[in-house]
Amino acid sequence: MPSQPSFPPSSPRVLGVALPSPLRRLFDYRPCRETPADGWQPGLRVQVPFGRRQVVGVVIECRHTSELAMDRLKPVDACLDATALPVDWLWLGTFTARYYQHALGDTLHLALPALLRQGRPLEARTRQRWQVTATGMQDSSPGLARAPRQAELLAMLRQHPHGLIRHAILAQSFSREQLHALSDKGLITCREEPLTAQWRGRNERLLAEPALPLNAEQATALAAIHERLDAFHPCLLEGVTGSGKTEVYLQLIEDVVRRGLQALILVPEIGLTPQTLARFRQRFQAPVVALHSGLTDHERLDAWEAAASGRAPIVVGTRSAIFTPLARPGAIIVDEEHDGSFKQQDGLRYHARDLAVALAHHHDIPLILGSATPSLESLARVRRGDWRHLRLTRRASRHAPARLELVDLRGRPRQGGLIPPVIETIRETLSAGHQVLVFINRRGFAPTLACQACGWLAECDHCDARMTLHRQPPLLACHHCDRRRALPDACPTCASGDLRPLGSGTERTEETLAALFPAVPVHRIDRDSTRRRDAFEQVLTEVRRGAPCLLVGTQMLAKGHHLPHVTLVVVVNADGGLYASDFRALEHTAQLLIQVAGRAGRASHPGRVLVQTLHSDDPHLVILAERGYEALANQLLDERRIAHLPPFRFLALLRLESPRAETAEELGSLAANFLRPWIREQGLAVDCLGPVPAPMERRQNRYHMQLMLAADRRSQLHEAVSQLIAWLEAAPEARRVRWSVDIDPQTLA
């Protein structure tokens, strides 16, 4: 278990340092000769020798003694910080490592921006701002008669009393030499300022545009949040798509910033970050910084430092932004809290939503979790009375949310996955001057390629999966290991040339619609079509102009995007998650259907949603279509309680992978045979299930096995997992297998 930070005796002789290593322990070093200005303390970054490398670690403990002899301890090479990293950041890193049973050094390493991991100083980058002096503001400017460009530059700067940054000046075709010449004459001066300007709080104008009027439901929700702004106050804000959840966030943030505090807003994916940033920057004059994977290392460090120093009162980011320290935390908002992308699926398998709950509780500040389709975990907490439930049932437009219309696919011909009545409805919508969104959660042209003579299917050599047929460019690709293969000229089994695509993907549906409606633009939105930087935003900008068009996309389009001119949504096939092996699949399918349906009818025209399915009589699908998400969620909660599944039980998965299936299975069996007697001896109510093959046993040419632990009490589950990890770290057999532990797994894949 990771150590809690321990504060120093007067002058420590030993430093316990967390290093980026999978080993769940601290490493002891002697302090270097140069003592930091504030003395040795937890949170200081140090550079130390580790094997043959020099690595950056974080001091966790300051002590007088070590289990090793003092002459065996190596000294720290250098202390990298004048002051320690924020105490709250260190607390969150320690909590994360302890809860998710991960090595503390590796956790802190991942929680730092890349440049800080490399030893860069934590300080604000600056830029030059040039400003006219009192002398320069006078009408007569001696010495410029023979320097017309200098005179033009001075005249331009006079029009900007607060000055201009150097890049803005150079962009006007002025030179550095002209700037320095005016400076030498005492006409202008230069000062260094942080890239993110300091926000002075109450003395500055906060809003760039006035807040929108709230309807009765929004006002009630905001008033409920305001009841306890100085305490931990978790609220689930459940609002139908288009009901104005963002306006509630904005007005809460306004109050937080006016009180001199900071707000952290988490959004599920990078695709939502630009529009959220644009909305916030349009509303606020205070600095708004972003943290997401699309930033350069320098940009990420700048935003991290601005938040840590308190200069940025509003921080927006994806899941990793939860590790951003705030100087004066005032509120945390998790938008689309149900979204699976808040869970990191490899390495440190944390869930940003759950860490947000812990962090808000630690800071004793309000927590707002917003969604049109809340997770069953959040709804269970509402049922228990742990969280407050706030509802927004009315859209900002006068139209009610569109209901799902189930369209039976059985026995009907299809073009690009679409049946004739649906194609006719698309034609009518386009003729009326509206836009259509066609949702198909499969990339590529078709899910696979098949031989019509012998039944051969194009399968991946490295995974238990079929390869997806792509046309742009033409190839077969595995979406699990990214293996690619050229299209065969003939069947490799029987040499037949009759190879045909099976099923439809986004490319095939796009091609079909382009042929059916040649006069209408067709925009495809998936991971393949949006690889180029800003490609997604460019398409959305074009769509928002309002001309009739067709949007064909995956779940990238289903989340949070405001498409005011879309009045028809077509779901090509809703059956993918109805009968999957993962017990969460139905919940995720329902959330996805409601989210994509929410793109229709968000403005002046009502929306319509057609859901094609081979199982139009499925009872869960019927409940969702006729009674809505809340009714289905309540039924799923009752089913989960009866089946003793989360959120009524706690799970942990031991994931094992090896090039040989026997090796992974052997280790899983040894682990289970060790753990089951230990659980009985300790009297713990923990079930140990498996080992069993993962739903996709072979992936990336490695065999995957799983051992599941389940318990009614979280503490007992963690006790068993901790014992299992200790056994694995000592077992010689575990060195031949790659293993990891996933606490609160969100998928069994």
Side-chain angles (χ1 to χ4, degrees), residues 448-452 456-459 467-471 474-477 484-501:
T448 194
L449 187 68
C451 174
Q452 298 301 301
W456 169 85
L457 297 172
E459 295 182 336
M467 302 194 83
T468 300
L469 172 64
H470 287 256
R471 284 277 184 88
L475 52 80
L476 292 168
R484 296 175 178 235
R485 188 192 305 166
L487 293 179
D489 296 324
C491 173
T493 300
C494 70
S496 169
D498 191 7
L499 300 178
R500 301 181 192 178

Side-chain angles (χ1 to χ4, degrees), residues 45-61:
R45 287 180 306 135
V46 290
Q47 184 171 299
V48 299
F50 188 62
R52 298 181 179 180
R53 299 178 295 141
Q54 294 287 319
V55 299
V56 173
V58 179
V59 174
I60 301 298
E61 295 178 353

Side-chain angles (χ1 to χ4, degrees), residues 591-661:
Q591 290 167 341
L592 190 56
L593 288 176
I594 296 298
Q595 291 286 336
V596 73
R599 302 313 109 200
R602 295 170 67 96
S604 57
H605 297 280
R608 190 177 178 191
V609 182
L610 304 181
V611 180
Q612 296 188 152
T613 172
L614 288 167
H615 304 279
S616 57
D617 53 355
D618 179 89
H620 290 112
L621 206 52
V622 171
I623 290 174
L624 183 66
E626 294 182 354
R627 297 166 53 197
Y629 178 78
E630 183 177 5
L632 178 61
N634 287 330
Q635 175 158 327
L636 291 178
L637 280 171
D638 293 338
E639 291 174 1
R640 296 266 189 96
R641 183 190 294 105
I642 294 169
H644 299 286
L645 290 170
F648 302 100
R649 290 201 98 192
F650 302 103
L651 300 184
L653 272 185
L654 171 64
R655 301 178 187 269
L656 307 163
E657 56 178 283
S658 170
R660 296 180 67 247

Side-chain angles (χ1 to χ4, degrees), residues 19 113 155 158 192 197 364 593 642 695 711:
L19 297 179
R158 282 173 176 167
E192 297 286 334
D364 207 20
L593 288 176
I642 294 169

